[in-house]
Amino acid sequence: MIEIFDSRQHFYKGNLHTHTTDSDGRMSPEDCIEAYRQQGYEFLALTDHRKLGRAYEDEGILVIPSAEYDRNYLDKGGPERAYHITGIGLKENILQDNAAGPQWLVNEIKKQGAFCTLAHPIWSLMTFEECMALQGYDAIEIYNGVSEVYSGRGYSDIYLDMLASRGIYKKITAVDDTHFYDRDVFKGYVMVQAPERTWEALYRSLMEEKFYASQGPVITRLAYDEEKVLVETRDAAVIRFMSNTLYDGHRTVYSEAGELLSEAEYPWGKADRFVRVEVEDRQGRKAWSNYIRRP
C-alpha cells in the first residue's frame, strides 16, 4: 500500500490563522504566542489584516511571518460578500489596493513562495463559481473557529467536495482565526509531519499533503492502493469516506455501542475518483484528511 505518513517522523501541531492587537485581535502578539505555546502548539502564523506578522522562534514554538488580505463588499447595494486570503511564510508585506481583486492577491502571495489559503468562503458568502474561477491558491479552510462559534458558518466542506468532484483539488486546513480568545481559540489546527520544525520543512510537507486537519481527533495512519483506502485513528465514534459518488451505502462506519473505532477500510466504489477521510469523536469533533486520488 502507499503510505501517506511516515511513522518515523514527528507530527507538528500548528495554527495557520490568528489575529492580535496588531489588527483586530484582542491579545498582544507576545501573549498570543505564549497562549499557544502553553497549549502545546509547535508553530503559529500571526495573520493580522494587511500587516506582516513577526518571525519568532525558540525551543517551544516557531512563529511564521504571515498576513491576511481581505475585501468586504458591504456598501454596494447588493448582497454582502467578501474574500479573505492568507499568505503563510511571506517575505514582505503586500500593499493591497482596495480595488485589487482576489486573483491579483493570490498571484502576489505565490510570487513570494508562500502558502496561500482561501479563508472561510462560506462565511464570506463567496459563490461556488467564484471559488472555481480563482486560480493558483493552495488550500481552503474546511473549518474556521471564529466563523463557526460567532456566525454559524464555519464549515466549507461542501465547497471543497464540489470542487474536487470537478477535478479541482485543494488542500484542507482547519484554523482558529482567533480574534476574541474565548470561544474561538484552540478550536482547529493542522498536524504536519516533517523532518524538522523549520518553515522550509513545514512548507514542503504542506505542499506534499503530509498533514491532516483536526479539531481534536488523531489520525495515525493513512494508506491506499488500487483496492481500498485505510485509516487508523484513536477513539473514533464515526469514520466517513467522502467521495464524488452521490450515494454510497458503505461510506460511513459507525462504532458499536460502548465501543470506539481504531481503524476502518473503504473499498473504492466503481465511480470514485477520490476519497476524503473524516473522523469524528464522541464529542462531535472532527479530523479531516486531504484528498486521496484513486491510483
Side-chain angles (χ1 to χ4, degrees):
M1 298 191 81
I2 299 171
E3 299 285 343
I4 293 177
F5 300 131
D6 184 343
S7 61
R8 299 165 297 179
Q9 284 194 1
H10 178 71
F11 278 102
Y12 293 97
K13 181 179 182 179
N15 180 30
L16 295 174
H17 195 163
T18 317
H19 295 277
T20 74
T21 51
D22 281 349
S23 62
D24 57 349
R26 298 285 180 85
M27 190 174 281
S28 70
E30 294 79 11
D31 289 343
C32 168
I33 293 167
E34 183 58 26
Y36 276 91
R37 186 209 320 270
Q38 291 297 325
Q39 288 293 316
Y41 285 72
E42 294 162 285
F43 67 94
L44 176 67
L46 301 184
T47 52
D48 283 301
H49 292 279
R50 305 191 185 194
K51 184 172 183 178
L52 185 60
R54 66 193 66 184
Y56 174 83
E57 182 177 8
D58 62 27
E59 61 183 24
I61 195 166
L62 172 70
V63 180
I64 304 157
S66 307
E68 180 176 14
Y69 301 93
D70 59 273
R71 185 178 178 189
N72 299 332
Y73 300 84
L74 305 179
D75 57 351
K76 303 296 182 182
E80 292 189 356
R81 59 190 178 89
Y83 69 80
H84 289 224
I85 299 171
T86 61
I88 314 301
L90 291 167
K91 298 177 176 64
E92 58 185 36
N93 196 28
I94 296 170
L95 300 179
Q96 181 188 359
D97 188 302
N98 282 337
Q103 190 61 65
W104 177 87
L105 186 53
V106 169
N107 295 345
E108 291 299 306
I109 290 171
K110 292 310 296 182
K111 281 179 185 178
Q112 296 192 35
F115 189 73
C116 183
T117 302
L118 183 61
H120 50 64
I122 297 295
W123 178 90
S124 299
L125 294 180
M126 292 182 69
T127 67
F128 176 63
E129 289 73 21
E130 288 172 326
C131 294
M132 280 194 69
L134 195 59
Q135 302 291 312
Y137 64 101
D138 300 309
I140 292 177
E141 295 171 351
I142 197 169
Y143 172 76
N144 180 288
V146 74
S147 297
E148 179 62 21
V149 301
Y150 280 102
S151 300
R153 289 197 181 114
Y155 292 90
S156 295
D157 50 334
I158 299 301
Y159 271 15
L160 275 156
D161 285 352
M162 288 174 66
L163 287 167
S165 73
R166 289 152 176 81
I168 303 172
Y169 298 100
K170 296 300 178 182
K171 297 165 179 55
I172 295 172
T173 64
V175 303
D176 286 340
D177 195 0
T178 321
H179 285 73
F180 305 104
Y181 294 86
D182 46 28
R183 288 176 289 173
D184 62 345
V185 70
F186 314 135
K187 295 292 187 180
Y189 53 88
V190 289
M191 298 294 291
V192 183
Q193 193 173 66
E196 58 184 5
R197 193 198 60 179
T198 62
W199 172 237
E200 293 75 17
L202 293 169
Y203 176 77
R204 284 195 301 271
S205 292
L206 287 167
M207 294 303 293
E208 294 172 2
E209 300 182 355
K210 303 291 187 183
F211 73 97
Y212 65 93
S214 184
Q215 298 169 320
V218 174
I219 295 175
T220 57
R221 185 186 177 201
L222 279 171
Y224 65 99
D225 58 20
E226 295 180 353
E227 302 295 327
K228 62 187 178 182
V229 176
L230 169 69
V231 60
E232 294 182 6
T233 182
R234 298 175 189 166
D235 301 333
V238 184
I239 297 176
R240 301 179 183 90
F241 297 89
M242 307 304 296
S243 78
N244 56 282
T245 301
L246 302 182
Y247 172 76
D248 191 334
H250 60 282
R251 171 176 290 154
T252 303
V253 180
Y254 295 96
S255 60
E256 299 293 335
E259 299 180 1
L260 290 169
L261 299 167
S262 61
E263 65 178 18
E265 293 183 357
Y266 175 81
W268 290 103
K270 183 178 180 180
D272 286 344
R273 298 192 304 274
F274 66 81
V275 161
R276 172 177 64 79
V277 181
E278 187 174 285
V279 176
E280 184 175 337
D281 67 14
R282 281 178 168 170
Q283 290 74 48
R285 301 177 304 173
K286 295 180 179 180
W288 302 270
S289 78
N290 285 290
Y291 288 101
I292 301 169
R293 272 75 102 188
R294 188 173 193 161

